[in-house]
Amino acid sequence: MSKEQIIEEVKGMSVLELNDLVKAIEEEFGVTAAAPVAVGGAPVEEAEEQTEFDVILADAGGSKINVIKVVREITGLGLKEAKSLVDGTPDTLKEGADKEEAEQIKSQLEEAGASVELK
């Protein structure tokens, strides 16, 4: 049987018959007929890994005093400025931090009871 003859046979099949044929082929040869899908028709590109992060204090939580202490330590602000920053959440604590520094700041603040976002 030639390719043309097979194609003519497939053209004459109903949707249900085609579905059964595809399942049988998948089982017989151990393959899948799923094709990769590109969203919006655009070529799929690998996303660049983010290298700079903004550390955002989302919420001070229940231990506001501990969070203020950590904010003072991280930013070098005075007590009044640090308290104002914590009271005004959400607010950005650090902009353009590398991944390691941002993760370290985030863990310090979370240990103090705050909610932190990295963007």
Side-chain angles (χ1 to χ4, degrees):
M1 192 178 257
S2 70
K3 285 191 268 184
E4 290 79 24
Q5 290 172 325
I6 293 172
I7 291 172
E8 287 302 316
E9 286 294 320
V10 169
K11 283 182 182 178
M13 294 178 152
S14 70
V15 174
L16 290 175
E17 291 171 327
L18 284 171
N19 187 36
D20 291 339
L21 175 63
V22 169
K23 286 180 182 179
I25 291 172
E26 287 176 342
E27 288 176 17
E28 179 69 29
F29 297 106
V31 295
T32 179
V37 178
V39 179
V44 178
E45 296 179 14
E46 288 188 33
E48 288 186 32
E49 186 175 337
Q50 187 174 352
T51 58
E52 290 188 351
F53 297 86
D54 293 341
V55 181
I56 300 169
L57 180 63
D59 184 39
S63 305
K64 196 181 273 189
I65 293 172
N66 291 336
V67 174
I68 291 171
K69 288 178 184 179
V70 173
V71 167
R72 287 186 67 201
E73 183 181 310
I74 292 169
T75 62
L77 294 173
L79 179 60
K80 183 178 179 183
E81 293 85 5
K83 182 182 182 309
S84 176
L85 193 142
V86 170
D87 287 341
T89 57
D91 202 353
T92 303
L93 289 181
K94 179 123 181 151
E95 293 180 344
D98 63 25
K99 186 174 184 174
E100 185 178 314
E101 181 183 17
E103 289 292 338
Q104 182 181 6
I105 293 170
K106 180 180 178 183
S107 69
Q108 288 176 331
L109 288 165
E110 286 177 343
E111 284 177 21
S115 298
V116 181
E117 296 176 9
L118 299 179
K119 291 190 177 186

